Amino acid sequence: MGASDEGPERTDDGRYIVVDGRRWRATDPGIPEKLRVELVAELMDARRAVRSEGDAARHRVQDAKVALGERGEPWWEEPTGSALRERVAATYRALLRHRPEGTTCPSEAARVVGGEGWRGLSATVRDLAFDLADEGTVRVLQKGEPVERGVRGPVRVGRGPRFPA
């Protein structure tokens, strides 16, 4: 495959892009466009932060790249439990950094990680949000108020007291 107007050259299987003769893992094509754009914007902000802040900001690049599927377990393979947890957690952190005053819905993390099969991950992604809340990384909210595991109805995920900014 050659380079086109739609981006860099890709390998025939579409799993890698080729830049200056080097292969790099491509972004997961199952990520909905709106969320992909947000994650790429966070990645670019993180890269600028590395230039100005140095190593202290590298975790932001890592989170954005894991959320995009460019690092971590390959997006084309069935994720293991730990890899799924890592990618969901990175997705929450990257989206919350991109929305500093906002929140994200667990379904957005499920859509990033699960593509078209995201509904099957809904309960897992919601449980992972509560696990991260137990660590203080995020807060799980309903109508703007923190809630406990087991709450029924829609929830949102916001930054917690130990959120890695």
Side-chain angles (χ1 to χ4, degrees), residues 38-143:
E38 277 191 85
L39 292 169
V40 168
E42 170 54 25
L43 175 60
M44 296 302 106
D45 287 347
R47 285 179 170 160
R48 283 188 288 278
V50 167
R51 279 199 299 275
S52 62
E53 300 168 30
D55 288 345
R58 289 201 185 280
H59 67 283
R60 291 182 56 192
V61 173
Q62 178 70 9
D63 280 345
K65 288 187 115 357
V66 169
L68 287 163
E70 296 176 9
R71 289 189 184 155
E73 211 167 84
W75 48 259
W76 56 87
E77 294 178 4
E78 190 67 32
T80 62
S82 62
L84 178 65
R85 177 182 165 72
E86 177 187 10
R87 189 163 176 208
V88 169
T91 299
Y92 280 135
R93 290 188 301 262
L95 288 174
L96 290 172
R97 283 187 193 105
H98 186 70
R99 306 169 182 175
E101 302 302 321
T103 60
T104 185
C105 180
S107 69
E108 290 177 310
R111 284 176 167 92
V112 166
V113 175
E116 290 182 14
W118 70 271
R119 289 189 197 287
L121 292 175
S122 293
T124 301
V125 169
R126 185 176 166 122
D127 284 344
L128 287 171
F130 281 102
D131 291 347
L132 293 170
D134 291 344
E135 298 169 7
T137 303
V138 302
R139 293 184 308 143
V140 180
L141 309 164
Q142 193 172 61
K143 297 182 181 175

